[in-house]
Amino acid sequence: MAERQILIIDDDRHLLLGLAARLRGSGYRVICATDAASGITLARKETPDLIILDLGLPRDEGFDVLEQMRGLREISAIPVIVLTARDPVTNDKLALEAGAVAFFQKPPDNGEFLSAIRHTLGEPTGLSTFLRT
Amino acid sequence: MTLDSFGRVQASERLPILFPITAPHGRNSADKNNEIELSPTMRADLLDLDAWGEILTTYGKTMKMAVALTDSDGHVLGKCHNPQPVWTMVHAAARDWTGCPFCISSSSPCTAVTESLRVGGVVRVRDLAGLTHVAVPLFVGKQHLGAIIAGQVFDQYPDPLPLRRVAKEFGISAQDLWDIARMQRPVTSAIQQASADLLYALGQAFVQQRYGAILEASLADTNGSFRLLVDGVRDHALFTIDPSGRVTSWNVGAERMFGYTDGDIVGENFSCMFSPEDIQNRVPQKQLNKALQTGRIEDEGWRIRANQIQFWADVNITVLWEERGTVRGFAVIVQDVTERKKIVIVLEEARQERARIQEKLLSHVSHELRTPLTAIYLFITNVLDGLLGDLNPEQHEHLTLALENVQQLKSMVGDLLDITRVQAHKLTVVPQRVSLAKLTADVLSTCRTNAALKNIGLLSEIAPDVPVVWADPVRLRQVLTNLIDNGIKFTPEHGVVTVRCKVYAEEKGFVCISVSDTGCGIGPENCEIVFERLAQVSSNSRASRSGLGLGLFISRDLVLRQGGRIWLESQLGRGSTFYLTVPVFSLAKLCDHIFTPPNLESGSVTLIVVDVDSIEEAVQAELVPEIRNVLERCIHPGQDTLLPAMSDAKSSESFFIVACADAKGYAVIAQRIARELQAFDNASRLNPVISSTTLPLAPGQSREAQTLEILASIERLIRDHLVGKKGDSDG
């Protein structure tokens, strides 16, 4: 299977650096954007297999971005995992209702996060990795 | 009545007390409980000579007898009214006259007065000269007051012999005495008797009247003082109302507070001081009724002044009882505490504002901290996991320690957020069925590294009969980790921390988990304080990577939210044990929020079962959380309930959804679930059993009965569903 591509949209450059390194180390191709507009443009152009989205983007309210992406035919099928510093209480439900497939609060546990990604991409997740508790 | 000669007294018949002396307000002063001790002043007042003088004079003149008032010992008070001639002559000649003032006797005067007081009736005496007199007792209740003596008259034609004797005795001319005596008209016994009776009645009536007047005066005096007191209170409204609420008295303070004058308000019902809503809700009557039950009530509320302005009042209503046990009315004291209330409201608002600000601040801080924390975490783990090349052991060790600190920071940041949620009462727990054996094993394994650093042993003892509990596994894990970490922290090297789970004997339906350490312990007086926020009881331990010290505070809130309790037992030098209770899983408790009257009334309750048992365990483990996610997405939050494994079979996780939907809704849900499940890789091996049980309320059936029925049908479905499964493998 060809390498999967992941798009990370987050305005924190350090996070992009660190997370991209980890994802590449796990065998994914990674592209990045630091705001919603360029993120969406990139998504339309590259049609990644997965988008990791921060909610606290400049000028854009995170949920609005999600909804926007749902509305665009070309990219509405791309699964989105939300990665944010915000409190999961109520926010996770909101994110899922807005169309995200998963919600993670920063900093996410590497193992769990990778499992979620793998799973979303339809890859075998392996027994113990997904077993949370 | 018996007569006697020569001064000896014989008991006379006791005359009935015709008019028992009664004090004002209907109290019978003959009742010894209520008798007032007569003070010397009162006695003097009752025997006031000016007052008696007129009666006695009139009596004497009318009855043509001598009359005198005496004290209880027989001494004449004042003078003898209308003295009779024979007596006067003898009296003038006598050098010393002792004893009874009316008796003409040489040596032994009568003790008529004393005797009459003793027997409570009239006593009649004949003296040496043949004259007779009577003694009429005067009482107040049982207390002797004095007597009236009347007489000095012959009751028949005089006998010369005794008169001659008396004349000789006293050195008077016998002839003169006889002349005088003969001229005195005798008063017959009958008349004397009748007049004595009359005198008795008169005497009592008069005493009574004077006594009454004295008491009235004293009462008026007291009332006057009381009135002064009540009127002197200007800042409190003091008033009385009758049993129906009509105002019967009103003080200056009340006038100032309410604006009604005496004339305005007396006779009006006190409900006019309440707000229209209160009047509509019959609050005034309710207050009086409540007061009657307990004797006294205290209340705070709005009251209305005459000018319709509202004010906040502190009100005391006390019942005033009559002697007989009936209600005379109520005494009301009102204080205007509007200022105080304003302060309270302002303080409360300020407190809430402070809490809001604090929550926002902590929330913001915790949010902001996460961003750099994430970066640090990612960079450290990237290097540590070899993504940037191999590491030598020392580099590895450094980074591992750095990572540990990051984890600690992460949990502190999490604590910060939790603390605000605790204060705002927003901490949530999502309970589910939890196997304690598994959970404790997991927690202990995560704590092992920490324990190993101090060579502390971690043990667990799970009783075999511990049932599945109903708790939030993430939160319970958090609490246990916190307690175990505490145990490790306060235990010196080579100590032991033990976790025990057993059925809680003291309270049905709970499991008790304890975490004991062999550490330094803390004093019993600190066992409550440790649960307070930021209370760090000092420890001697080196490894005090203590975090924010909020752990126990949050843990307590979490335990309470799950329905249990948490406490600490400890002794200095003897180690500590934390105890917490967790509720045992129960189907009834679980379905409580689903089987509410509105839900049951709105239609049927639909039960959906998804069976994952038919697939292999290995795949199961992977799928189970996924299915849970799917089902959570398909059901409507707040309305439906996800019930995980209903059976005790450890291996299977058959999902049941109890959904409140009508028949149409059920079909939609069932379809959605089926479709979502198909998306799974191994889903084709799934065998969703989507059953429903519809139970509209039967006529005459109660909701409780229907609830039981529904629960029974769930149990039945479970049983049917799981019957015939292969034996459990260890889950």
Side-chain angles (χ1 to χ4, degrees), chain B residues 141-177:
Chain B
K142 288 194 170 59
Q143 298 176 74
H144 297 178
L145 185 60
I148 308 174
I149 314 182
Q152 297 179 3
V153 293
F154 295 105
D155 62 346
Q156 59 197 6
Y157 194 77
D159 188 345
L161 225 63
L163 277 170
R164 228 197 321 266
R165 265 203 294 274
V166 164
K168 189 162 168 218
E169 176 95 23
F170 286 91
I172 312 171
S173 152
Q175 185 57 49
D176 288 340
L177 193 60

Side-chain angles (χ1 to χ4, degrees), chain B residues 420-709:
Chain B
T420 64
R421 287 197 207 125
V422 167
Q423 287 181 305
H425 308 291
K426 280 199 212 141
L427 213 52
T428 54
V429 293
V430 181
Q432 47 185 274
R433 294 176 90 242
V434 172
S435 152
L436 282 177
K438 194 165 174 312
L439 189 130
T440 25
D442 282 349
V443 171
L444 283 172
S445 74
T446 55
C447 294
R448 243 170 247 294
T449 351
N450 217 2
L453 286 172
K454 290 170 75 174
N455 283 310
I456 289 175
L458 289 180
L459 302 175
S460 83
E461 287 171 17
I462 319 283
D465 61 344
V466 165
V468 165
V469 297
W470 186 243
D472 183 326
V474 173
R475 294 304 195 178
L476 190 52
R477 203 176 294 265
Q478 195 177 347
V479 171
L480 278 181
T481 309
N482 178 237
L483 295 181
I484 294 170
D485 276 345
N486 255 291
I488 293 172
K489 180 164 55 168
F490 286 98
T491 302
E493 305 243 345
H494 304 292
V496 176
V497 171
T498 315
V499 178
R500 294 183 182 85
C501 298
K502 60 181 171 64
V503 172
Y504 189 44
E506 280 79 351
E507 219 176 319
K508 199 156 129 27
F510 284 90
V511 166
C512 181
I513 307 176
S514 67
V515 178
S516 317
D517 64 55
T518 58
C520 52
I522 63 170
E525 65 279 1
N526 285 324
C527 284
E528 269 294 310
I529 296 179
V530 290
F531 293 101
E532 305 296 322
R533 199 159 50 118
L534 298 177
Q536 292 229 47
V537 181
S538 61
S539 90
N540 305 324
S541 150
R542 272 190 319 127
S544 298
R545 328 282 333 281
S546 44
L548 291 170
L550 298 169
L552 286 177
F553 182 70
I554 297 174
S555 293
R556 181 171 65 173
D557 197 71
L558 291 171
V559 168
L560 288 172
R561 274 172 201 283
Q562 286 181 158
R565 295 188 301 125
I566 183 169
W567 69 99
L568 167 64
E569 286 174 15
S570 178
Q571 276 190 316
L572 279 167
R574 306 267 285 272
S576 320
T577 305
F578 279 96
Y579 294 92
L580 66 129
T581 59
V582 187
V584 171
F585 171 70
S586 119
L587 180 60
K589 265 200 274 196
L590 184 61
C591 296
D592 246 348
H593 80 284
I594 276 285
F595 295 122
T596 59
N599 282 344
L600 289 173
E601 266 165 4
S602 71
S604 54
V605 174
T606 297
L607 190 65
I608 300 176
V609 176
V610 176
D611 170 33
V612 298
D613 233 28
S614 49
I615 54 180
E616 297 109 53
E617 201 192 314
V619 181
Q620 230 187 69
E622 203 178 298
L623 270 182
V624 152
E626 282 314 297
I627 294 172
R628 184 191 298 272
N629 286 336
V630 163
L631 297 180
E632 271 173 349
R633 281 208 298 277
C634 289
I635 62 178
H636 196 284
Q639 252 196 314
D640 313 326
T641 278
L642 181 68
L643 306 180
M646 301 300 299
S647 72
D648 286 330
K650 297 181 197 64
S651 59
S652 69
E653 289 249 12
S654 306
F655 286 92
F656 296 75
I657 308 174
V658 178
C660 288
D662 52 27
K664 199 164 74 137
Y666 149 71
V668 168
I669 291 178
Q671 226 174 36
R672 260 177 89 190
I673 293 173
R675 192 184 61 227
E676 295 281 347
L677 288 177
Q678 272 165 24
F680 286 99
D681 222 14
N682 292 302
S684 52
R685 303 199 228 166
L686 268 180
N687 198 10
V689 174
I690 304 184
S691 313
S692 81
T693 171
T694 53
L695 291 169
L697 203 61
Q701 183 183 32
S702 71
R703 270 175 226 113
E704 290 73 31
Q706 192 200 34
T707 306
L708 289 172
E709 223 181 296

Side-chain angles (χ1 to χ4, degrees), chain A residues 12 14-15 17-19 21-22 25 85-87 89 105-110 119 125-127 130-131 133, chain B residues 367 370-371 373-375 377-379 381-382 385 387 410 417 421 428 438 442 477 618 621-622 625-626 680:
Chain A
D12 179 5
H14 288 176
L15 179 125
L17 196 63
L19 188 55
R22 177 151 289 269
R86 292 188 195 175
D87 193 355
V89 169
Q105 188 184 26
K106 293 179 184 173
D109 176 81
N110 283 334
H119 177 79
T125 56
L127 230 137
F130 199 49
L131 202 65
T133 49
Chain B
H367 179 275
R370 284 177 189 278
T371 303
L373 202 53
T374 308
Y377 174 73
L378 283 170
F379 292 132
T381 52
N382 283 353
D385 290 347
L387 292 174
K410 184 177 171 188
L417 204 51
R421 287 197 207 125
T428 54
K438 194 165 174 312
D442 282 349
R477 203 176 294 265
E622 203 178 298
E626 282 314 297
F680 286 99

Side-chain angles (χ1 to χ4, degrees), chain A residues 5-126:
Chain A
Q5 188 181 63
I6 302 178
L7 163 64
I8 317 175
I9 311 179
D10 196 314
D11 62 328
D12 179 5
R13 290 184 188 276
H14 288 176
L15 179 125
L16 292 177
L17 196 63
L19 188 55
R22 177 151 289 269
L23 293 178
R24 286 183 190 123
S26 302
Y28 299 103
R29 286 183 296 136
V30 179
I31 49 177
C32 303
T34 52
D35 62 77
S38 47
I40 288 174
T41 312
L42 204 49
R44 284 163 114 167
K45 183 155 157 256
E46 303 280 339
T47 51
D49 300 288
L50 171 70
I51 300 176
I52 296 175
L53 174 69
D54 176 33
L55 290 179
L57 297 171
R59 291 185 306 276
D60 295 284
E61 176 45 49
F63 294 118
D64 294 341
V65 177
L66 252 184
E67 279 174 24
Q68 220 185 338
M69 294 200 296
R70 290 303 103 207
L72 294 166
R73 204 171 20 92
E74 314 97 315
I75 58 175
S76 62
I78 307 175
V80 176
I81 293 180
V82 164
L83 177 64
T84 174
R86 292 188 195 175
D87 193 355
V89 169
T90 66
N91 278 311
D92 57 356
K93 282 238 151 68
L94 288 172
L96 295 179
E97 274 166 23
V101 303
F103 181 100
F104 280 88
Q105 188 184 26
K106 293 179 184 173
D109 176 81
N110 283 334
E112 289 175 10
F113 195 53
L114 263 299
S115 268
I117 292 174
R118 266 198 287 277
H119 177 79
T120 311
L121 293 173
E123 295 160 14
T125 56

Side-chain angles (χ1 to χ4, degrees), chain B residues 611 613 647 649 652 654 656 715-727:
Chain B
D611 170 33
D613 233 28
S647 72
S652 69
S654 306
F656 296 75
E715 305 273 18
R716 214 167 35 238
L717 264 173
I718 296 166
R719 257 199 322 275
D720 292 349
H721 199 60
L722 296 171
V723 155
K725 298 251 173 280
K726 32 187 227 256

